[in-house]
Amino acid sequence: MRPTFARIYLDNLRHNLSVIRSKINPDAKMCVAVKADAYGHGSVRCAKTAVECGADFLAVAAVSEGVELRGAGITTPILMLSLCSPSEMDDVVKNDLTPLVFDDEYIDFLDEACARCGKKAFKVHLAVDTGMGRIGCLPEEAAEMAKKIVSSKNLSLGGMCTHFSVADSLSEDDVSYTRSQFEKFLFACNSVKDAGIDPGIRHCANSALTLNNPETHLDMCRPGIIAYGYYPDELDEKYFESKGERIDLKPVMALVSTVVAVRKFPAGHSVSYGRTWTSETETDIGVLPIGYDDGLFRRFNQTDGGLEVSIGGKAYPVRGRICMDQCMVDLGKNSGVKRWDEVVIFGPEGSGALQSAEEISRATGTISYEITCGISKRVPRVYISSSQN
Ligand SMILES: *Cc1c(COP(=O)(O)O)cnc(C)c1O
């Protein structure tokens, strides 16, 4: 096995999913986002765990992601949140992926794919753009689009959805923007109803709204990041505590590497490209076989304080630039760190980590999503689970 890998704690995923399920209105469904390889955690294992924990739907972005889940024997409905190319539409139909639609041309393409595949009453969901500015028709166009869907030869309307742009922010402006987006969505759903068409499953709540706004749950929630153990930006643990609520999420991924060499450096020995760090005294330098191609990005060590990793529960600073495949840590003198010792870069409590991906994301000006999605394919995922799956 490669000395760099991601440990995936499936029990933590189960824990988070049960917290989420307990927060969703009892009569609303749960759609778990497993797009982007389950935010980097490995889509098949995470999707199977989600289904075992009561997911009624799964959500992917690309057709290939849906095909992978179907290939693994998953029969749960799969929502496809992004658009695909015309050449992929037969696969959408054959694999029974549920696409989002919102314009005439795309609806026609799918209708034709259904005709080619001999599929009738193929369910699509109508996406409404209430202010995200990404995909969807305008709220005023929803009734017309719904008519177009139900009068097509082979499509039926399975649901309606929208997506929020600032649901994870607490500023007054953003909170009122979210409220107005929700109202526009309700308007769109009602206009479809008024046209005599059943809007099907109405869904809009992402992680932030799933935890914070039960009135937006409607018929289904679509949480993602909270399943993997990270809070939606400003809606952190402290925020929920201030509301008198305890939301206990456990990060699912630990990023692990190994000290593959311990080298004794004299004073004045520089480390890595660009010679940005030089030892001031004699010190031991540990070499780690992990770099930016693995998702340990250069910028992680270019901010104030830089990146620290945990070896045996103690913090050691990364020194010099992170290379493509390797980086170096300063062990100091007499650390007792040995070759083949495990290094934990981030992870949940109990993983040996001193920080989670959330802390790295805050320190480097990004979001936890980007950290876990950034862990590349060459990093094996090792699943830890107390049960069989
Ligand atoms: C990714 C995504 C979600 C899940 O978002 P989180 O912030 O991870 O909860 C929900 N809906 C859509 C349309 C998405 O693209």
Side-chain angles (χ1 to χ4, degrees):
M1 233 252 311
R2 222 192 135 197
T4 290
F5 57 93
R7 209 174 258 144
I8 307 297
Y9 294 86
L10 289 177
D11 288 346
N12 287 5
L13 179 60
R14 289 188 188 99
H15 164 88
N16 299 332
L17 289 164
S18 89
V19 170
I20 295 166
R21 186 58 263 189
S22 76
K23 290 286 159 189
I24 297 178
N25 290 340
D27 48 359
K29 294 177 191 293
M30 175 165 78
C31 170
V32 178
V34 293
K35 61 192 183 188
D37 204 24
Y39 292 41
H41 296 70
S43 89
V44 169
R45 290 299 291 271
C46 292
K48 285 188 172 170
T49 303
V51 170
E52 159 205 318
C53 294
D56 304 284
F57 267 79
L58 300 166
V60 300
V63 177
S64 57
E65 295 176 323
V67 170
E68 184 186 5
L69 297 181
R70 290 289 183 244
I74 293 169
T75 55
T76 308
I78 297 175
L79 214 53
M80 199 176 76
L81 302 173
S82 297
L83 304 191
C84 67
S85 70
S87 67
E88 294 175 299
M89 287 191 180
D90 287 12
D91 280 338
V92 171
V93 175
K94 284 180 196 153
N95 288 278
D96 204 14
L97 309 180
T98 305
L100 305 188
V101 303
F102 58 92
D103 67 80
D104 288 320
E105 187 181 31
Y106 200 79
I107 289 171
D108 288 339
F109 271 123
L110 275 167
D111 198 23
E112 287 159 20
C114 288
R116 282 194 297 275
C117 301
K119 196 92 169 182
K120 288 276 176 202
F122 183 68
K123 280 187 185 136
V124 299
H125 286 205
L126 175 60
V128 184
D129 181 0
T130 57
M132 171 70 186
R134 197 167 67 182
I135 60 171
C137 63
L138 295 177
E140 310 78 74
E141 300 166 342
E144 193 193 324
M145 279 302 130
K147 279 183 205 155
K148 164 95 184 167
I149 293 165
V150 298
S151 61
S152 71
K153 287 205 185 72
N154 307 303
L155 305 180
S156 69
L157 182 61
M160 286 182 67
C161 61
T162 195
H163 193 50
F164 295 88
S165 54
V166 285
D168 54 2
S169 160
L170 289 169
S171 85
E172 214 175 291
D173 254 15
D174 290 342
V175 170
S176 83
Y177 191 82
T178 299
R179 193 175 310 120
S180 87
Q181 276 198 271
F182 183 59
E183 276 158 16
K184 286 178 186 168
F185 182 53
L186 288 182
F187 163 83
C189 293
N190 290 333
S191 72
V192 168
K193 250 186 234 165
D194 291 344
I197 299 167
D198 180 359
I201 302 168
R202 298 161 306 154
H203 51 102
C204 62
N206 58 6
S207 287
L209 294 170
T210 298
L211 292 184
N212 205 30
N213 302 75
E215 73 282 4
T216 64
H217 291 184
L218 302 177
D219 306 314
M220 183 160 81
C221 292
R222 298 190 311 264
I225 195 71
I226 53 179
Y228 306 103
Y230 305 103
Y231 293 84
D233 202 14
E234 291 181 18
L235 307 187
D236 56 11
E237 204 170 0
K238 282 207 183 75
Y239 164 75
F240 288 107
E241 265 164 29
S242 76
K243 283 194 1 176
E245 252 183 287
R246 189 167 146 65
I247 306 268
D248 170 34
L249 300 176
K250 299 179 194 288
V252 175
M253 179 191 289
L255 180 61
V256 181
S257 192
T258 304
V259 177
V260 288
V262 178
R263 308 203 34 227
K264 286 202 178 309
F265 280 17
H269 202 90
S270 65
V271 168
S272 194
Y273 293 118
R275 304 187 62 214
T276 57
W277 187 84
T278 301
S279 58
E280 280 171 8
T281 56
E282 251 182 44
T283 192
D284 291 346
I285 294 287
V287 180
L288 312 184
I290 182 169
Y292 59 79
D293 184 60
D294 301 297
L296 196 75
F297 299 120
R298 291 167 96 243
R299 61 189 151 82
F300 291 178
N301 200 36
Q302 287 168 333
T303 50
D304 290 345
L307 179 68
E308 291 191 329
V309 301
S310 167
I311 308 175
K314 212 171 153 246
Y316 295 95
V318 171
R319 295 299 194 199
R321 288 198 185 136
I322 295 171
C323 307
M324 185 186 288
D325 316 300
Q326 306 184 72
C327 67
M328 277 64 79
V329 292
D330 189 1
L331 302 171
K333 277 204 216 168
N334 307 315
S335 65
V337 172
K338 301 183 306 295
R339 173 175 254 171
W340 315 134
D341 278 358
E342 184 168 293
V343 181
V344 187
I345 291 125
F346 63 77
E349 250 181 68
S351 67
L354 296 167
Q355 62 196 339
S356 85
E358 194 156 315
E359 282 155 300
I360 295 185
S361 74
R362 287 187 202 279
T364 57
T366 185
I367 48 179
S368 47
Y369 304 66
E370 201 190 6
I371 308 288
T372 62
C373 287
I375 305 307
S376 68
K377 283 278 189 247
R378 81 171 181 190
V379 177
R381 270 62 173 175
V382 176
Y383 295 92
I384 307 288
S385 175
S386 62
S387 83
Q388 270 297 299
N389 169 23

